[in-house]
Amino acid sequence: MRILVIEDDKEAADFLTKGLRESGYAVDHAADGEEALQKVVMRPPTIVLSDMVMPRMGGLDLLKSIRADPEISETRFIMVTGHNEPHSVIAAKKAGVNGYIIKPFNVVALKQRLEAVLGPIPPAPGPMSALGTA
């Protein structure tokens, strides 16, 4: 499983990337939607975890671009954002988001959202994984 994390905040990107990698997932990172769109087109990930507000291209515009391209339109997409206003949630749902998680969150909440979109996630081999602990 390949996960693409799109986040312009270095701390948030490091948190997501580290937790996912420690759980055994292949993780790639992009700092904004434009960079992410190029990566998705070149090699579609299993799922995208994207911030909503970023420079150059935000998460909502990225989601719309992915859904508009028949080659990548089925890419699963979770919006990771601090925006929990109803209009933001509704806009993401109308654009075809598969899940929505509000910052700040912990690794347990992230794992639950991933499982809601992808189905049960088997534990990573080796020591207890970061996403598998409470």
Side-chain angles (χ1 to χ4, degrees):
M1 176 186 309
R2 269 186 65 261
I3 299 174
L4 177 59
V5 172
I6 303 105
E7 175 61 66
D8 61 325
D9 179 270
K10 183 168 174 23
E11 284 184 34
D14 290 347
F15 169 77
L16 285 167
T17 301
K18 181 181 180 210
L20 293 165
R21 284 186 178 147
E22 287 176 356
S23 296
Y25 300 106
V27 181
D28 195 5
H29 173 258
D32 62 51
E34 285 185 13
E35 180 185 351
L37 187 57
Q38 292 173 3
K39 289 183 178 200
V40 172
V41 168
M42 288 176 45
R43 186 172 176 221
T46 306
I47 191 165
V48 167
L49 300 176
S50 178
D51 188 14
M52 183 174 271
V53 178
M54 297 175 288
R56 298 194 318 157
M57 178 189 283
L60 191 57
D61 288 332
L62 171 62
L63 174 60
K64 290 175 181 177
S65 295
I66 289 172
R67 294 296 181 249
D69 184 332
E71 296 290 321
I72 56 175
S73 65
E74 297 298 315
T75 303
R76 290 170 278 192
F77 197 110
I78 295 177
M79 195 70 71
V80 182
T81 182
H83 293 271
N84 64 350
E85 299 87 11
H87 70 274
S88 295
V89 177
I90 290 168
K93 286 184 179 185
K94 283 183 178 178
V97 77
N98 299 102
Y100 201 92
I101 189 166
I102 305 297
K103 296 176 189 175
F105 57 89
N106 59 34
V107 292
V108 173
L110 177 59
K111 182 178 179 188
Q112 289 171 343
R113 186 63 59 212
L114 284 168
E115 287 183 343
V117 173
L118 299 171
I121 299 172
M128 286 186 64
S129 68
L131 291 182
T133 60

